[in-house]
Amino acid sequence: VGAGALSVFALVQIALHGLYSANEFILVQGELVDARPVSAAGALLIVQCILIAAAGRFVRSTLWWVAIASMGTAAILLQHRTVWVVAVLAGVVAYLRWARVAIFVNERAAAGAASAVLFVTPLVVGVAASSGAFEESVRSATGEQSTLAWRTDSWRSLLETHSSIQDRLAGVPAGTSFERRIGDVVVTQSPHSTYVDALLSFGVLGPFIIALLWILIVRRRRNAAAGLGISAVVVVLLVASQALFGITTMLGPVQGFLLGMLL
């Protein structure tokens, strides 16, 4: 319900205000806001719920198909690049897993799906390449002035500032300022990385503990799958989505709730 509501809100806002590239800001009711109406955390939730809905065999009616189509469209148009990577990885793994079985039990369905993939993929790439917004979003993710370069400069500055043995072993005290200069701008916000934040907050054990939780879930994936009524592959994909997303963005409370469900 939450993911569906977010996708509808995203599509309505994009229809009202237009499609812009990532990192652009627009005026809405006199206030300068991000042109993307739903945050990266919301876009990740949409992709994860598509996986859960498909794996839980919920998609059996026209209403469900409309909901899934809306969620997929929103995830693409929101242009959160890390979420795109998560979605592509999940889609490829899910398709290969399904096709490996379908080719023996339902040859016609496997051939139809393969034909659809071969037809849709070039179409999507062509539409994306012809869109100025998508082209600018891809360009802003790479190069010297890219968002990734901004993040890596930010991480390097933070780690250099808090490089003492005490900080690396035990983390920095709560409330410590994360102020750093990136180019000509002074930044005080979070590190934009779950791993860097865990390292700064809890020392070397921080990232290790997060990774250990994911490893425990993957090792017991069949238990989690049986308890939640989804496939073991989807359990691994949900963990992978958090692991990839956490590289460049902070994981929020909703991801903590999902992690608790899997545990």
Side-chain angles (χ1 to χ4, degrees), residues 8-29:
V8 170
F9 175 76
L11 294 176
V12 169
Q13 291 299 311
I14 290 172
L16 289 175
H17 302 291
L19 180 65
Y20 296 86
S21 64
N23 309 317
E24 282 201 37
F25 290 82
I26 59 174
L27 278 173
V28 177
Q29 297 180 351

Side-chain angles (χ1 to χ4, degrees), residues 164-186:
S164 67
I165 295 177
Q166 179 180 343
D167 288 347
R168 290 294 172 86
L169 291 179
V172 300
T176 300
S177 173
F178 284 156
E179 182 177 298
R180 66 271 192 198
R181 178 174 290 276
I182 306 175
D184 298 326
V185 180
V186 176

Side-chain angles (χ1 to χ4, degrees), residues 11 15 19 22 36 44 58 90 133 167 191 203 228 231 252 256 261:
L11 294 176
L19 180 65
R36 296 171 293 185
L44 176 65
F58 299 148
D167 288 347
L228 297 176
S231 70
M261 290 173 62

